[in-house]
Amino acid sequence: MKTRTADRTRLVPHTVNGRTEMVLERYTVDLPVPPRDWDRTVLTAVTAAAAVLVAVAVVWSTASIGDLLARVTIAPAAYAAAIAFDLAWILCMAVEWLSRYDPARAALPRWMGHGALAVAMVAVGAHGWLAGQAAIGIIGAVVSGIVKALWTIVLRHHAKPLDDKTQQWVDLQRAEAGGELAMVAINRELTRARGLVAAEEEALRIDPDADPDWSGPDPDAGSESPLPTLTGPRTVKQAVRTALDSGIHSPDAVLRYVHQVADANAKQETVNRYLRGA
């Protein structure tokens, strides 16, 4: 059995002048080396080779389809559009790879990839036929088909389908996580809507302090004459102004008047602020 050497450290006691401390000691150990996983090595090599062949197919198809489209449009636009033919089925293969644990979800990108590949192969064949080289057009189209078939085999080997019960469990977990993710956006939308409603209500409110209280004259207003006659609902600011116009200048008396005619919960600080601004 093959082994490899590895460095390790451990704490050991070390005494100097009668005082012992735990210090690090370095040592080496021989660890067994597992046998080479040839299956993984071969699969990795096949996957890498398939990726290289995809690049070859893309170059060939882009050159052929780009030259075909360049007959009716400018070359940059033609070759840019030509890339889309192969890119479509390559992207479908990527989505199929992401769904390798769920055959039901992988079916749609697989069939869409086949359809996109067929369109690309027809375009390559049409280019050869219009150029008077039908055989080359057919062979060039087959290149993309071979690469796609190879990738289908590789993806099928990588795929790990789940049994029915485990698949149902995964679907339920995915649905639950998807619901939680959807609620994040929904809660954000509801919060934004409630904020807009609150802002609209605040903008339409005449005065948040408006809460009239018809309590009659104030016996402690500091004057023998009755308080001003009430003619309608008042705000705190209006009540303060009326009290000043009526000769009431004491902050306490003004506050009592505000409590009677405007807002029973008005604060002394609010009244004082209006008094200073008067």
Side-chain angles (χ1 to χ4, degrees), residues 176-192:
E176 181 179 352
E180 294 175 358
L181 182 61
M183 287 306 300
V184 173
I186 293 174
N187 289 332
R188 186 185 300 116
E189 178 184 353
L190 294 176
T191 301
R192 187 186 306 111

Side-chain angles (χ1 to χ4, degrees), residues 68-154:
L68 175 66
L69 299 179
R71 297 168 181 262
V72 294
T73 187
I74 60 175
Y79 285 94
I83 296 177
F85 282 81
D86 277 339
L87 190 60
W89 62 266
I90 292 173
L91 292 179
C92 288
M93 285 197 312
V95 177
E96 183 182 353
W97 165 269
L98 295 176
S99 305
R100 62 189 181 277
Y101 299 113
D102 192 342
R105 299 182 69 185
L108 178 59
R110 181 183 304 115
W111 288 111
M112 290 294 295
H114 292 332
L117 173 66
V119 174
M121 293 175 65
V122 169
V124 173
H127 173 258
W129 179 71
L130 291 176
Q133 300 291 336
I136 295 178
I138 294 175
I139 294 173
V142 171
V143 171
S144 296
I146 293 176
V147 173
K148 180 64 170 69
L150 176 61
W151 263 108
T152 299
I153 295 173
V154 172

